[in-house]
Amino acid sequence: MASRSTINDVAKKAGVSIKTVSRVLNKERYVRADTHARVAAAMAALSFSPSLAARSLAGKRSHQIALIYDNHSPYYIHAIQEGVWERCKEAGVRMLAQPADVASPTLAAEVGGLIDETHVDGIILSSPVTDAAPVLEELERRGIPFVRISPGTNHALTSSVFMDDVQAADDMTTHLINLGHRVIGFIVGHPNHMASEQRLFGYRRALDRAGIAYEPGLVHPGEFDFASGATAAHSLLSYSRRPTAIFASNDDMAAGVLTVAHSKGLRMPEDLSVAGFDDTPLAQLVWPPLTTIRQPTRELAFAAASLLFEKADSVQHRRLQHELVARASTGVLTPPTSSRQ
């Protein structure tokens, strides 16, 4: 079997130095057009495909970045990975996806070990790792570039991309109020996520603006997964003032609400309106299709990778817009339901 061509072979065939080939591979400036063409032709003639290791040695870069995440929604994580991967593909960079446990006391050491073993050129942190103080301190200490997706703290620390979770939750709650609902249950997200507090705040702000008193019994904790949504639904639908609408902090939990409501013989939206958050593919797989907030998850991830590759001298923040998507799971409050209040 023929041996694989090396960077030395390319340099010899193109009549240039190994350093010049390295500059072409790393897309550096100041390589003359005719020289670049000769190197490209030599690579094509030799069927040369540079390995990441070789590029690392030549340019002192690994051409790899790491995405570190801890999230209970597979749909959300898939969208985050897809967005980062698409931008990495454009840049010719490899993405390493690393799950983490934000509650682990060794998380910072684990992140440090990842950097030592892979020599990644940068890091993207997804919520809730994006607010894990030990990780932020470790990355700052090492001086490695990193960008955060939807941080809730230390906004001036590093570049970030985000959407307005408070306003998004306010918009959805207001939408339910405008449909005539006054007894609105709310399922909070995982306590490790700053977005959970922000969405709860948006819910409360909308109620306050409409003159509706906040009722703790209508608010139930969740963990951003189907099971916690179902548990919350059982509790809320057994409450003395049964809600006519339930707003869950993500689509997975909203799906849990729909399942429990169906099991109790309730009709959506005639007997109960249900709303979610994220607009994951799940939102259109459940019945009825879910009214939800469309979070630009994939776009947030793509933008985070773009910020990382730009290597700007100053901290930059990019806010992306959300959208309320109304579907069949919510509707105008009907007289039979209102008579129960």
Side-chain angles (χ1 to χ4, degrees):
M1 184 174 66
S3 61
R4 179 173 176 169
S5 298
T6 67
I7 192 172
N8 292 331
D9 297 326
V10 174
K12 184 177 180 180
K13 188 169 184 65
V16 299
S17 67
I18 294 174
K19 188 173 183 179
T20 297
V21 176
S22 171
R23 286 174 174 167
V24 172
L25 291 175
N26 289 306
K27 300 179 181 179
E28 295 181 11
R29 298 189 212 174
Y30 312 122
V31 177
R32 289 170 48 182
D34 60 332
T35 301
H36 190 287
R38 289 208 316 277
V39 172
M43 288 192 290
L46 295 169
S47 298
F48 175 75
S49 178
S51 68
L52 289 175
R55 291 172 68 187
S56 175
L57 290 172
K60 296 183 180 180
R61 295 170 55 200
S62 70
H63 297 272
Q64 301 180 114
I65 67 166
L67 165 66
I68 303 176
Y69 62 90
D70 176 12
N71 195 290
H72 293 263
S73 171
Y75 293 98
Y76 177 86
I77 288 303
H78 176 74
I80 288 289
Q81 291 179 345
E82 190 176 58
V84 174
W85 179 83
E86 184 174 338
R87 184 64 183 89
C88 285
K89 185 178 179 182
E90 288 183 2
V93 173
R94 177 172 292 170
M95 178 192 81
L96 305 178
Q98 179 68 41
D101 178 3
V102 75
S104 171
T106 62
L107 179 58
E110 292 168 12
V111 171
L114 171 69
I115 295 170
D116 291 336
E117 292 169 9
T118 63
H119 304 288
V120 290
D121 299 321
I123 301 278
I124 294 175
L125 300 178
S126 177
S127 181
V129 187
T130 193
D131 289 309
V135 173
L136 302 183
E137 292 168 5
E138 179 69 12
L139 296 179
E140 281 284 288
R141 184 182 70 79
R142 288 173 173 267
I144 188 169
F146 66 101
V147 173
R148 297 188 291 160
I149 299 175
S150 302
T153 58
N154 297 321
H155 294 280
L157 178 65
T158 186
S159 294
S160 67
V161 296
F162 63 98
M163 60 161 280
D164 192 336
D165 284 277
V166 173
Q167 186 60 53
D170 186 319
D171 289 348
M172 181 58 78
T173 307
T174 299
H175 174 68
L176 294 171
I177 292 170
N178 289 341
L179 290 174
H181 298 281
R182 295 296 180 271
V183 186
I184 303 171
F186 185 76
I187 306 176
V188 188
H190 198 288
N192 285 340
H193 293 248
M194 293 298 295
S196 299
E197 295 182 18
Q198 294 167 348
R199 294 172 193 178
L200 175 60
F201 183 83
Y203 161 79
R204 296 190 63 168
R205 187 173 74 180
L207 293 179
D208 183 66
R209 189 172 57 251
I212 301 172
Y214 173 72
E215 195 168 339
L218 289 171
V219 176
H220 200 281
E223 295 190 354
F224 281 144
D225 60 5
F226 178 93
S228 64
T231 298
H234 280 294
S235 177
L236 289 170
L237 294 175
S238 300
Y239 186 57
S240 57
R241 288 219 313 152
R242 198 183 83 186
T244 62
I246 295 177
F247 174 21
S249 290
N250 81 336
D251 294 341
D252 296 70
M253 295 193 298
V257 174
L258 286 173
T259 298
V260 170
H262 282 305
S263 73
K264 292 179 177 292
L266 298 178
R267 300 168 300 160
M268 274 66 68
E270 293 87 353
D271 299 322
L272 177 71
S273 283
V274 179
F277 200 110
D278 286 339
D279 196 27
T280 62
L282 179 63
Q284 297 189 66
L285 296 176
V286 296
W287 184 259
L290 193 61
T291 293
T292 187
I293 292 293
R294 177 173 293 158
Q295 178 172 203
T297 309
R298 180 186 154 281
E299 292 80 4
L300 285 167
F302 187 96
S306 294
L307 277 179
L308 188 63
F309 296 151
E310 287 171 12
K311 299 178 181 178
D313 294 331
S314 59
V315 170
Q316 297 186 36
H317 303 293
R318 294 182 184 172
R319 184 177 72 178
L320 277 63
Q321 295 300 314
H322 64 273
E323 178 185 357
L324 192 155
V325 182
R327 298 193 179 101
S329 68
T330 57
V332 175
L333 183 65
T334 59
T337 305
S338 62
S339 67
R340 290 201 302 263
Q341 297 183 50

